[in-house]
Amino acid sequence: MAAIVGIPQSLDDRGRWHRERDYLYIDWAYARAVEAAGGVALHLPLQEDVDALTQRIDALVLPGGDDFLPDPASPAYPDDVTFEPTPRAQLDFDRRLLASALDGGTPVLGICYGMQLLCLHHGGRSEEHTSE
């Protein structure tokens, strides 16, 4: 039986597609990679009951996403550096989803944003680097 691999969708709350609407999206490449590895991808929409989601999956992939904002105490970035901050609702959902998966012993793969989230969850910190 193929493993069910949950992949949370990303929230666009900035009206990039249609003003005044929030959309969920995900790069199709994640589902194709899960399928190529013999699994079944299941897209996970943002919702309150993350335990209901993690109880139904065999693994979790936390994909790339928007940016974690740097600590205000960090050195200033050059003026041409911009950030696409992760929406607060997305970050809250992903944190709860990750905690639920780990509490249940569900394997987790973090990619880019997902790996940073894993690091932060386990008490790590991210350091911003600028090229100077």
Side-chain angles (χ1 to χ4, degrees):
M1 186 137 180
I4 305 295
V5 180
I7 307 169
Q9 295 174 304
S10 298
L11 173 64
D12 172 33
D13 65 353
R14 293 188 284 270
R16 288 179 271 196
W17 289 301
H18 192 282
R19 280 188 288 231
E20 315 224 358
R21 289 188 187 177
D22 294 341
Y23 287 91
L24 296 173
Y25 66 95
I26 192 68
D27 186 329
W28 187 26
Y30 296 109
R32 289 193 320 255
V34 167
E35 184 180 31
V40 174
L42 179 64
H43 289 159
L44 307 176
L46 278 71
Q47 60 187 45
E48 288 303 313
D49 190 356
V50 295
D51 292 338
L53 296 173
T54 58
Q55 290 169 5
R56 288 167 173 79
I57 60 174
D58 300 307
L60 176 66
V61 171
L62 291 171
D66 290 326
D67 300 319
F68 291 96
L69 292 178
D71 184 328
S74 298
Y77 279 84
D79 291 339
D80 62 337
V81 175
T82 60
F83 294 94
E84 292 283 336
T86 300
R88 174 65 41 205
Q90 179 77 56
L91 188 54
D92 177 60
F93 173 75
D94 290 343
R95 283 182 170 149
R96 291 182 300 108
L97 185 66
L98 173 59
S100 178
L102 293 174
D103 287 348
T106 302
V108 177
L109 170 65
I111 301 169
C112 195
Y113 162 91
M115 181 54 72
Q116 293 174 65
L117 188 64
L118 274 163
C119 173
L120 296 171
H121 176 84
H122 288 291
R125 62 187 176 99
S126 59
E127 293 187 20
E128 297 82 27
H129 295 279
T130 59
S131 57
E132 294 182 17

